Amino acid sequence: MKIYNDIFKKIISLENLFLAFEEFKKDKQKKKDVLAFEWNLEANIFNLYRDLKYHRYKHGVYTSFYICDPKQRKIDKATVRDRILHHAVFRILNPLFEKTFISHSFSCQIGKGTHKGINSLAKMLNRVSKNNRKCCFALKCDIKKFFGSVDHEILFSIIQKRIKDENIVWLVKEIIESFPVAKQFERERERERESQGAVCPSAI
């Protein structure tokens, strides 16, 4: 297993932070919070850079709201500043971890996507079904509230196996622990028990 060291400078570099903002703002140009951040873009990016460089960075709080698409879903949105950092971290760390994914993982990966996923599935179905001469089955499933219930200690241990840069460890931990998983998950479960039977208007 390849171990990565000294990549903190790449993540917090001004070039990476500005590129992260450009990627982040796609399809969000008219959002008020994005416009407000962009109004003083250079000052905001430089302030973020200095806070990261001198370990003064603290992840902000999340804004929670519900959407219906058509099922009701709870969204926890970080601030623009924090989401830009999320993109900056992703731009550098994702290529290090993506190569370890199974070959049949297609979501949110450059050069893959829905169409290649369908083609791969078709090949597997033909192989398992002996060219449609034999019955085969597929399991469609989802992990309920995965991001709200994922164990932070396990997630962090997976990251630490490959990343040995202490600065990255500090930053990733700050981001991961910014979301209070256990308390959030319990609140969600309690809210679900209280609202059982409620129907999302757009689903009617």
Side-chain angles (χ1 to χ4, degrees):
M1 179 187 294
K2 187 173 181 179
I3 305 299
Y4 297 93
N5 299 285
D6 196 27
I7 53 178
F8 184 67
K9 290 180 181 178
K10 292 182 181 179
I11 289 178
I12 72 166
S13 70
L14 289 169
E15 179 185 10
N16 190 47
L17 292 175
F18 276 107
L19 287 172
F21 173 75
E22 291 301 318
E23 292 177 0
F24 160 76
K25 77 170 186 177
K26 291 176 182 176
D27 303 321
K28 301 183 184 72
Q29 291 93 334
K30 295 182 180 180
K31 300 288 185 180
K32 289 183 180 179
D33 53 351
V34 177
L35 289 171
F37 190 93
E38 191 171 20
W39 183 259
N40 291 303
L41 180 60
E42 287 193 6
N44 287 328
I45 293 293
F46 272 85
N47 285 335
L48 176 58
Y49 166 76
R50 284 189 289 267
D51 284 348
L52 291 166
K53 181 178 180 179
Y54 297 109
H55 285 210
R56 296 194 303 252
Y57 172 78
K58 293 292 182 185
H59 198 285
V61 297
Y62 292 82
T63 302
S64 300
F65 56 92
Y66 288 87
I67 63 171
C68 293
D69 64 346
K71 217 165 62 172
Q72 189 180 71
R73 286 198 305 127
K74 183 175 182 289
I75 304 296
D76 293 286
K77 186 175 78 171
T79 65
V80 170
R81 170 182 158 100
D82 292 325
R83 282 182 284 163
I84 291 170
L85 177 59
H86 297 171
H87 276 262
V89 172
F90 178 83
R91 294 187 78 256
I92 304 302
L93 293 192
N94 182 62
L96 310 185
F97 286 93
E98 191 171 82
K99 62 184 69 173
T100 68
F101 297 167
I102 62 173
S103 60
H104 294 135
S105 175
F106 289 92
S107 179
C108 302
Q109 295 184 61
I110 295 174
K112 290 195 172 183
T114 305
H115 294 296
K116 288 195 175 181
I118 292 172
N119 291 336
S120 179
L121 175 61
K123 290 178 181 178
M124 284 188 282
L125 289 173
N126 284 332
R127 184 174 67 251
V128 174
S129 67
K130 307 295 183 183
N131 291 324
N132 296 318
R133 295 197 304 267
K134 179 182 176 182
C135 287
C136 60
F137 300 90
L139 174 64
K140 180 181 178 181
C141 63
D142 188 18
I143 300 175
K144 187 176 183 180
K145 299 191 182 301
F146 172 78
F147 291 106
S149 61
V150 63
D151 189 303
H152 283 179
E153 290 186 11
I154 295 175
L155 175 60
F156 193 60
S157 68
I158 293 171
I159 295 171
Q160 278 189 300
K161 286 179 181 178
R162 298 183 69 84
I163 305 296
K164 300 300 181 183
D165 187 326
E166 291 184 1
N167 292 310
I168 296 292
V169 171
W170 161 74
L171 179 58
V172 170
K173 195 169 186 177
E174 176 67 31
I175 294 172
I176 290 176
E177 294 186 346
S178 67
F179 192 73
V181 173
K183 292 182 180 178
Q184 175 74 14
F185 191 50
E186 285 302 317
R187 285 198 296 268
E188 286 298 305
R189 290 176 61 186
E190 185 63 32
R191 189 176 289 112
E192 281 185 358
R193 285 193 289 266
E194 292 175 355
S195 62
Q196 280 183 347
V199 178
C200 184
S202 64
I204 299 176

